[in-house]
Amino acid sequence: MGKGVRVVWVAALAGAGFVPAIAHAQLNDPKPGQGAPQSASPAQDQPVAADAQENAPIVPDKTFEQALPKLSDDINAPLEPLGGFQKPATTAPQKPALNPRATVQPALPASNATPALGTAAQGVSPAGDQGFTPAGPESPEMLAPLPPLAAFKVEPVGDTADDAEKAPAIRYTVQVDGLEALRLEDEFRQLSALHHGKGKAANAAMVSARAREDEKLALRLMKSLGYYDATASSSIAQDPPNSGAVKATIIASPGKLYRLGAVRVTSDPTVPPGLLDRELNLNPGDPLEANRVLGAEANVSLRLPQQGYPFVELGQRDVVLDDATHTGDYTLPVTLGPRASFGKIQTAGRRQVFTSEHIEIFRRYREGQIYDSRKVDDLRQALIATGLFSTVSVEPQRTNAPGPDGTQQVDLLVRQVAGKARTLAGELGYSTGQGIKAQASWAHRNLFPPEGALTVSGIFGTQEQALTTTFRRSNAGKRDRTFLVTASLNHSDYDAFEAFTTTLSTRISRDSTPIWQKRWTYYYGAELVGSNEDRYNYDLGKRDRGTWLIAAIPTFLGYDTSDDLLNPTRGYRIKGNLSAETSVRGSVRPYARMMLEVDGYYPITSSIVLAGRARAGSISGVSRDDLPPSRRYYGGGGGSVRGFGYQELGPRSPDGKPVGGRAFNEFGIEARYRFGNYGIVPFLDAGQVYEGTTPTGRNLRFGAGIGGRLYTNFGPLRVDVATPIARKKGESKIALYISIGQAF
């Protein structure tokens, strides 16, 4: 390459910033005798001088060291004063000869001269003397000690800018074209940077940046539906012109839809054959939608562990697009792992709550059954429902031991960390007729392992006081079976009666909990009650007191299809009670108490639920006056017919107080409207209490009202206000009820 061409190339690079390349171009200059002209023209002086500088002699080390000032050998010695140095003699610089091969060098000082620190290169005093000017006396301020840091007050500078001087925000509108046909407008609006800006921005550049982000968003959304040739563009314009307001327009063009071509799953054979293809369920010709593909893969990860493959792993999918046919070939590698059957239960953890023998009570499978992850989840949920763990997990563990039907035995490892076993709880409520009622309890949920809980609770109310001690053994020999022993002292003072009651009861039950709601529930047990109560004695025509001894065998059966225990929105519940009892006061009088209740919940819209209830009860085998007042039926109150006071419905004695009855019926309907964490509930209730044993439905009384709900993570807080319809003398004008949970 010729010199001229090369220099031009290097110069062009230098103009682009590659300056070091010029030096390389100069190294390629031809030497004398190789065709270069020998006469130096003015344009060639600089290359010659540079060449001469390269060939100049280097100062010897000895000469350089002699030119340095002599310093003390003691590194700890103080520095010599500057005035002790000799000033070098000023030597006129020598003019170098312009020799074609000479190198231009600055003049060096004589070998026996000592260079001074105050040369012209370092500064010259105004008088022309070389060296430093003598220092003057120190300023007193410089000699004073520094003040302590604590003496300084450092305060941030406030923002003194006037709000009116801030740059005003501009307003903009958004128009999106092309996504409506794909039904992507709602999803785009939820994720759009322009829409999140709510039509305001500091300047047009910010609007433009948001529009570019929305271009990318539109592309992602269209590609997620299989439109891989999609394009999107944005534009910003004043609208209307010269108004200061702008309009951002996003135009989306989806292009042609891509569909699945070949679908291949690479794995070992399954049992039964074709299991992977069936659970993946991707077929050639289906739209190549991201959500559909991800959902199919998630279904494989979910369903195969339910059918004997706990260690299945999905590899990285491969999709090859063909823009000519607008298809995509899909390949998914799958590592199955061994087909497994259930083995034993193992435990681990520093603070273990249960032994493996007790955990076996919770399982709903037998050893040797095909592994099913749903039964593993069921075991984990049952352990959580005990409330005794801080953390608990259940993981399958390979054993390499053979199982039945060619499977491999898999043990379940339960990792457990004990949680806090003691609980303090409280509840406060109010209702017309019952007044204020506060409840508090202390519980140790595992005082008698395993799952032996002791609970002490108290009721402190204006009309009721109670102290109760309960021993509860959960999962007593069988999952979901509870053994309960209760002893209580109670004092009740209502319009219908005043009673001092002592109760000792035992019960075996299967109950629902907020964590573990069950379809079927039941209980059966025995009660022994001693009660001293007052009543209206019709034989004497006045009130008197009596003591009853009551023995009962209560039973209950319930069926629940609702979706939530504390706040149901769909389904129904059926509950039935039957208690064979006898009361002893001078003579033995056996009788039976029965009650049936049906509750239903129907969602009208996503925010409105229509709820209804019907309940009826009967006592047969004994006259009303021979029944202890506390064992009769009453009506009215927050859990009965709202609008009336507690126990206010039904027959009354000559002194105007309720006397209760042997039969009752109640009905209720309410529309539960929820918005966010709040709700409004208008309702209508009806009911009556009868002296006979049959709930005839005659002379029904109605109460109407409206309630408010505050929905919390432990259930709705209920406040209901109601009034009786066709109110009679002596009945409540307004009834107020405050409690936790829905009315039914």
Side-chain angles (χ1 to χ4, degrees):
M1 180 180 292
K3 178 181 178 181
V5 175
R6 186 165 193 138
V7 170
V8 171
W9 175 71
V10 174
L13 290 178
F18 295 93
V19 177
I22 299 177
H24 296 291
Q26 293 173 346
L27 293 177
N28 291 318
D29 290 345
K31 297 180 180 179
Q34 297 180 355
Q38 299 298 317
S39 61
S41 64
Q44 295 171 330
D45 286 346
Q46 292 181 357
V48 172
D51 214 5
Q53 186 176 357
E54 291 179 0
N55 297 324
I58 299 175
V59 178
D61 292 342
K62 184 177 181 181
T63 303
F64 178 75
E65 291 174 357
Q66 290 176 352
L68 293 176
K70 300 299 182 181
L71 300 176
S72 173
D73 294 333
D74 185 3
I75 62 173
N76 296 318
L79 296 175
E80 289 84 351
L82 293 175
F85 290 105
Q86 295 180 357
K87 300 177 183 180
T90 304
T91 306
Q94 299 178 0
K95 186 176 181 179
L98 295 178
N99 191 318
R101 303 301 298 174
T103 302
V104 178
Q105 290 282 1
L108 292 175
S111 60
N112 59 352
T114 302
L117 296 176
T119 62
Q122 296 163 327
V124 181
S125 65
D129 296 335
Q130 294 177 342
F132 291 102
T133 303
E138 291 289 346
S139 172
E141 289 81 359
M142 299 297 295
L143 297 176
L146 294 175
L149 291 176
F152 288 93
K153 294 183 179 181
V154 182
E155 296 180 358
V157 179
D159 187 7
T160 58
D162 190 355
D163 292 340
E165 296 179 359
K166 294 181 180 179
I170 65 172
R171 295 187 175 274
Y172 63 87
T173 58
V174 182
Q175 179 178 338
V176 181
D177 297 329
L179 296 181
E180 183 177 3
L182 304 180
R183 298 181 179 178
L184 289 173
E185 277 198 336
D186 291 342
E187 189 172 356
F188 178 86
R189 183 180 297 273
Q190 293 174 1
L191 303 174
S192 165
L194 287 169
H195 284 98
H196 285 180
K198 298 181 179 179
K200 294 181 181 180
N203 47 54
M206 183 179 291
V207 180
S208 180
R210 293 174 183 174
R212 288 194 296 271
E213 289 298 318
D214 282 0
E215 284 183 26
K216 300 175 184 177
L217 172 62
L219 281 175
R220 291 197 302 270
L221 292 177
M222 289 186 290
K223 288 182 178 180
S224 70
L225 295 184
Y227 296 93
Y228 292 95
D229 293 337
T231 59
S233 62
S234 64
S235 61
I236 307 295
Q238 289 195 10
D239 183 34
N242 302 321
S243 63
V246 299
K247 180 179 182 180
T249 303
I250 308 295
I251 299 177
S253 301
K256 193 166 182 179
L257 175 65
Y258 278 71
R259 297 183 177 274
L260 282 170
V263 177
R264 290 184 291 271
V265 179
T266 59
S267 74
D268 295 332
T270 61
V271 178
L275 178 62
L276 273 171
D277 293 333
R278 183 174 71 248
E279 300 300 344
L280 185 65
N281 195 24
L282 289 178
N283 304 301
D286 291 344
L288 192 52
E289 299 178 7
N291 288 341
R292 181 179 178 85
V293 173
L294 293 176
E297 294 174 357
N299 191 63
V300 171
S301 299
L302 174 68
R303 291 284 296 157
L304 260 69
Q306 296 175 1
Q307 301 176 66
Y309 293 94
F311 307 108
V312 63
E313 293 181 2
L314 274 62
Q316 180 62 46
R317 78 185 72 84
D318 184 31
V319 180
V320 180
L321 298 177
D322 187 346
D323 56 2
T325 61
H326 294 92
T327 59
D329 292 341
Y330 173 87
T331 303
L332 179 67
V334 177
T335 303
L336 283 176
R339 186 167 180 257
S341 58
F342 283 115
K344 300 184 179 298
I345 290 179
Q346 303 175 7
T347 61
R350 291 181 300 172
R351 293 182 297 161
Q352 298 189 26
V353 181
F354 299 145
T355 63
S356 57
E357 289 77 12
H358 186 69
I359 295 176
E360 289 178 354
I361 293 175
F362 295 90
R363 66 185 187 183
R364 298 188 188 275
Y365 63 84
R366 297 187 308 275
E367 289 187 22
Q369 283 187 331
I370 296 298
Y371 182 93
D372 188 339
S373 61
R374 290 169 294 188
K375 296 180 180 179
V376 178
D377 293 338
D378 176 81
L379 174 60
R380 179 179 56 84
Q381 288 179 330
L383 293 172
I384 292 173
T386 65
L388 297 176
F389 297 95
S390 173
T391 59
V392 61
S393 63
V394 183
E395 306 167 3
Q397 302 290 313
R398 297 193 188 195
T399 64
N400 296 321
D405 302 325
T407 61
Q408 183 181 116
Q409 181 176 303
V410 170
D411 291 348
L412 295 183
L413 177 62
V414 179
R415 300 183 186 273
Q416 47 183 314
V417 178
K420 296 180 179 180
R422 296 172 180 84
T423 300
L424 281 175
E427 183 178 338
L428 181 66
Y430 173 84
S431 66
T432 301
Q434 286 183 289
I436 298 174
K437 180 186 289 187
Q439 300 184 52
S441 65
W442 172 90
H444 193 303
R445 298 189 301 278
N446 202 30
L447 185 61
F448 307 99
E451 299 190 76
L454 182 67
T455 303
V456 179
S457 61
I459 297 177
F460 311 95
T462 55
Q463 295 178 273
E464 183 180 3
Q465 302 83 43
L467 179 64
T468 304
T469 301
T470 303
F471 169 77
R472 179 189 184 97
R473 175 79 71 186
S474 300
N475 301 294
K478 183 179 180 181
R479 175 172 168 172
D480 299 330
R481 183 167 63 187
T482 301
F483 175 71
L484 200 69
V485 177
T486 302
S488 67
L489 298 173
N490 181 276
H491 171 243
S492 302
D493 187 6
Y494 301 115
D495 288 344
F497 61 88
E498 182 189 15
F500 296 89
T501 305
T502 301
T503 303
L504 179 64
S505 65
T506 182
R507 175 181 296 181
I508 295 176
S509 65
R510 185 178 191 268
D511 305 316
S512 281
T513 67
I515 297 178
W516 194 260
Q517 185 175 351
K518 303 174 180 63
R519 182 65 60 93
W520 288 97
T521 56
Y522 65 82
Y523 69 74
Y524 58 89
E527 289 183 356
L528 188 62
V529 181
S531 183
N532 179 269
E533 306 177 11
D534 79 326
R535 62 166 184 173
Y536 187 84
N537 191 324
Y538 283 88
D539 294 335
L540 300 177
K542 63 178 183 179
R543 305 191 73 86
D544 65 356
R545 301 192 66 86
T547 300
W548 283 266
L549 181 63
I550 305 163
I553 303 176
T555 59
F556 166 83
L557 181 64
Y559 182 74
D560 186 357
T561 67
S562 65
D563 58 344
D564 190 90
L565 190 64
L566 297 177
N567 184 37
T569 60
R570 64 178 68 247
Y572 62 90
R573 298 170 179 169
I574 302 175
K575 295 179 281 187
N577 294 78
L578 174 63
S579 179
E581 302 182 5
T582 184
S583 64
V584 179
R585 188 190 181 195
S587 60
V588 177
R589 293 179 175 86
Y591 57 91
R593 303 176 82 244
M594 298 168 286
M595 187 179 67
L596 180 66
E597 179 178 346
V598 178
D599 304 331
Y601 313 94
Y602 180 77
I604 298 176
T605 67
S606 60
S607 58
I608 299 178
V609 175
L610 186 64
R613 175 185 64 179
R615 180 164 59 180
S618 175
I619 301 174
S620 61
V622 66
S623 66
R624 183 193 64 185
D625 295 339
D626 289 331
L627 274 171
S630 61
R631 310 300 284 189
R632 302 172 188 174
Y633 285 134
Y634 297 89
S640 177
V641 182
R642 288 165 288 183
F644 298 88
Y646 182 65
Q647 299 181 339
E648 197 171 60
L649 283 179
R652 291 179 176 269
S653 61
D655 59 1
K657 294 184 178 181
V659 294
R662 291 184 294 170
F664 79 98
N665 50 25
E666 294 173 354
F667 308 93
I669 187 170
E670 56 185 34
R672 301 172 181 172
Y673 172 58
R674 178 172 179 172
F675 48 97
N677 289 328
Y678 302 93
I680 297 176
V681 181
F683 56 85
L684 177 66
D685 292 343
Q688 188 57 276
V689 176
Y690 305 94
E691 183 177 349
T693 60
T694 304
T696 61
R698 293 179 297 182
N699 302 319
L700 289 177
R701 300 298 308 280
F702 294 87
I706 190 167
R709 302 289 185 270
L710 174 61
Y711 293 93
T712 67
N713 57 357
F714 56 84
L717 176 63
R718 174 169 67 107
V719 179
D720 289 340
V721 179
T723 184
I725 298 176
R727 174 178 169 270
K728 295 181 180 180
K729 184 178 179 180
E731 295 178 341
S732 304
K733 293 182 180 180
I734 297 293
L736 175 65
Y737 314 98
I738 302 174
S739 65
I740 296 175
Q742 298 285 7
F744 53 88

